[in-house]
Amino acid sequence: MEDNSISSKRSQVAYIIEAMLEYFIALAVSGTYLTHVMTYIAIPSSIQGIINSIISLGCGFQFLAIVCPIRKSVKRTIIILHSISQILFSFVFFVPLFNFPFEVRVSAFILSLAPAYVIHNYINAPKIAWCMSHVNDSVRGKFTANKEIISLLGGMIFSFSLGALIDFLEAGKMIEIAFTIIGGIIVLICIAHTISLIFVDEKPEQNANKPKVSLLSLLKNKQLMKVIPIFIVWDIAHYITISFASAYQKNTLGFPALAMTLIVVGGSLIRILFSRPLGKFADKNSFIKMLTVCFLSHTLGFITIMFTVPYIGYPAYILYSIFSQIGSVGIASSQINLIYDYVQPHERSSAFAFSRMFSGFAGFFVVLAVSPLYGFIGDSGISFGNGFILYPLPVMGAISTVIMIALLVYIYFMFLRKKKQHSGKTAENSDNNA
């Protein structure tokens, strides 16, 4: 039965606002804007890819939520740690303003970004469990779809404003002022974000007498162990390409900040358009089938990246963005819902953190492995005698494509084929009993 109490309704609204504000910060400290900071500091593109993959490595630290769970004062602990991580995120944009040697500025940049993501990911799973405790399981898909749409709409305005600001100030040789403004904006968002979390109630029984969840008990869950490899392989394929995408747009394709932002905004529109249809598809068919559709779309996107070169940069990258954004609609929600379908309510936070731990570390180390290849090819590519130029991101896209095809084969044999066989046996039994 759906909980319609005033406390739950207020908490749901506050959670939607919190998610939107957190998305603003996520946009500011990734992709286009982070690339501008790294380029200003003169960090090479290959190293930028590794730094971008710190986002993935941070996900790996969600295992701390299992070995060091927050058992008391979950709300207070999450609010304090969230504030610390967001202040560290804001400091990322203040680093370029200090006239320190290159090595010092790079160290300060990494020492701001990395701990911020570690803290952010440590509290991510328990925060989701806390906030989602106010949402009934029967409307979980509908609620998460609405939450994402609101975040995307707000994110479009936020991204466009930041992109226009950076382009305007960069054209006037005032990029340092842009960094200062963005850093200040993150601080203000941090304050608003903290207020939104305060309005999410903590249920008195939420942390009382909760059974202890061990790594061993999660490992013994055979269904969970079938689901987790999907997201490990997905993160590997995704981060191989996405970790270098912003650097490739700026340094090889020559996209200005506003153009990169417009692509992000357009992608948000695509996600909004496809969010509800794919959500209904999942409700009618299953989350695994929706996930297959999303992965197929992303695979088409990686194939498109293989042909994204400077002389067709805009149309090719826009086409990639369309495919990837359609694919992104259901991947995050499917990960939560598939995992939640296979574990008990008291295990959900740990199971989600467990999944993100493996996929986060896998994503980081695979980027670490392919980064030398990206650096070897270089931003300008490798020219061959017949006039053919091999560019770095298309190579990454080719690797991601092969991995995605392998993932789709795994899903077919481990999930879809078995469902067909089960359906066939059910139909046969029905005929025999007729």
Side-chain angles (χ1 to χ4, degrees):
M1 185 175 179
E2 190 173 348
D3 187 356
N4 290 315
S5 68
I6 295 175
S7 173
S8 287
K9 286 184 177 180
R10 183 181 65 246
S11 296
Q12 288 173 21
V13 171
Y15 181 31
I16 289 173
I17 295 171
E18 180 275 336
M20 181 183 68
L21 295 173
E22 185 179 44
Y23 183 54
F24 290 174
I25 295 177
L27 288 172
V29 295
S30 62
T32 303
Y33 315 111
L34 199 62
T35 297
H36 272 77
V37 175
M38 292 189 287
T39 302
Y40 184 86
I41 300 175
I43 298 174
S45 296
S46 58
I47 305 301
Q48 287 186 29
I50 294 175
I51 292 174
N52 278 324
S53 66
I54 286 176
I55 298 171
S56 174
L57 180 63
C59 292
F61 282 96
Q62 292 202 25
F63 82 93
L64 292 172
I66 305 173
V67 298
C68 301
I70 305 172
R71 294 193 177 276
K72 295 181 179 180
S73 303
V74 171
K75 177 177 178 176
R76 184 178 63 184
T77 303
I78 288 174
I79 288 175
I80 292 172
L81 292 179
H82 238 315
S83 299
I84 292 172
S85 71
Q86 289 168 354
I87 293 299
L88 286 171
F89 280 137
S90 71
F91 190 70
V92 165
F93 289 91
F94 296 128
V95 169
L97 307 180
F98 296 104
N99 190 24
F100 294 144
F102 170 76
E103 294 80 4
V104 176
R105 289 204 288 180
V106 171
S107 298
F109 177 84
I110 294 174
L111 290 174
S112 298
L113 189 68
Y117 270 114
V118 170
I119 296 171
H120 171 80
N121 283 284
Y122 168 55
I123 60 176
N124 186 49
K127 188 194 74 175
I128 290 175
W130 161 39
C131 293
M132 289 295 288
S133 68
H134 294 280
V135 182
N136 191 275
D137 282 351
S138 63
V139 294
R140 200 169 61 211
K142 177 183 175 182
F143 176 82
T144 52
N146 291 335
K147 178 168 66 72
E148 181 176 8
I149 288 173
I150 291 172
S151 292
L152 289 170
L153 286 171
M156 286 165 52
I157 299 171
F158 184 76
S159 293
F160 184 81
S161 301
L162 284 193
L165 174 70
I166 288 179
D167 271 355
F168 175 75
L169 293 175
E170 191 173 33
K173 308 297 182 183
M174 296 181 292
I175 189 66
E176 297 91 347
I177 295 177
F179 293 151
T180 305
I181 293 173
I182 294 173
I185 288 173
I186 293 177
V187 173
L188 293 176
I189 293 174
C190 171
I191 295 171
H193 180 267
T194 300
I195 294 171
S196 68
L197 281 176
I198 290 172
F199 281 96
V200 180
D201 290 336
E202 185 174 8
K203 294 182 177 180
E205 74 278 7
Q206 190 169 331
N207 304 306
N209 302 318
K210 285 178 64 175
K212 187 176 181 181
V213 180
S214 66
L215 290 175
L216 184 61
S217 66
L218 295 174
L219 286 168
K220 286 181 178 180
N221 188 324
K222 294 181 180 179
Q223 293 299 317
L224 180 62
M225 290 302 103
K226 281 173 56 180
V227 171
I228 287 177
I230 294 176
F231 299 104
I232 293 175
V233 177
W234 155 246
D235 267 15
I236 289 173
H238 179 62
Y239 277 105
I240 283 175
T241 296
I242 199 66
S243 295
F244 304 98
S246 293
Y248 188 75
Q249 287 180 75
K250 182 172 177 58
N251 301 330
T252 302
L253 300 180
F255 291 177
L258 186 57
M260 294 166 72
T261 299
L262 287 173
I263 291 173
V264 173
V265 170
S268 296
L269 284 172
I270 294 294
R271 288 180 68 170
I272 289 169
L273 289 173
F274 282 85
S275 183
R276 286 184 178 275
L278 280 174
K280 290 179 180 179
F281 178 83
D283 290 337
K284 183 178 180 181
N285 297 280
S286 68
F287 279 104
I288 193 66
K289 287 185 177 179
M290 181 187 72
L291 193 60
T292 303
V293 172
C294 293
F295 282 158
L296 281 168
S297 185
H298 254 295
T299 303
L300 291 174
F302 291 136
I303 292 172
T304 305
I305 278 292
M306 293 166 58
F307 302 97
T308 303
V309 293
Y311 63 89
I312 55 168
Y314 278 110
Y317 199 89
I318 289 171
L319 185 60
Y320 158 72
S321 180
I322 291 172
F323 283 131
S324 65
Q325 291 299 333
I326 292 173
S328 297
V329 168
I331 291 176
S333 62
S334 291
Q335 183 169 16
I336 294 173
N337 284 292
L338 279 175
I339 290 172
Y340 276 27
D341 284 344
Y342 291 118
V343 298
Q344 297 298 317
H346 72 276
E347 296 179 311
R348 288 175 172 177
S349 176
S350 297
F352 183 72
F354 190 62
S355 171
R356 295 305 298 143
M357 173 185 71
F358 284 112
S359 58
F361 281 127
F364 174 77
F365 287 113
V366 76
V367 172
L368 206 62
V370 299
S371 182
L373 175 61
Y374 192 99
F376 173 75
I377 298 172
D379 291 328
S380 301
I382 297 176
S383 181
F384 292 87
N386 58 1
F388 174 76
I389 300 177
L390 181 67
Y391 289 100
L393 197 65
V395 174
M396 302 296 110
I399 297 172
S400 294
T401 299
V402 173
I403 295 172
M404 288 301 297
I405 291 172
L407 176 57
L408 288 167
V409 170
Y410 173 82
I411 291 174
Y412 175 76
F413 283 103
M414 295 300 292
F415 293 90
L416 300 181
R417 187 182 180 185
K418 289 185 176 182
K419 283 198 171 190
K420 284 184 179 180
Q421 290 174 345
H422 179 73
S423 299
K425 288 180 181 178
T426 303
E428 185 180 342
N429 291 337
S430 298
D431 292 338
N432 291 336
N433 294 329

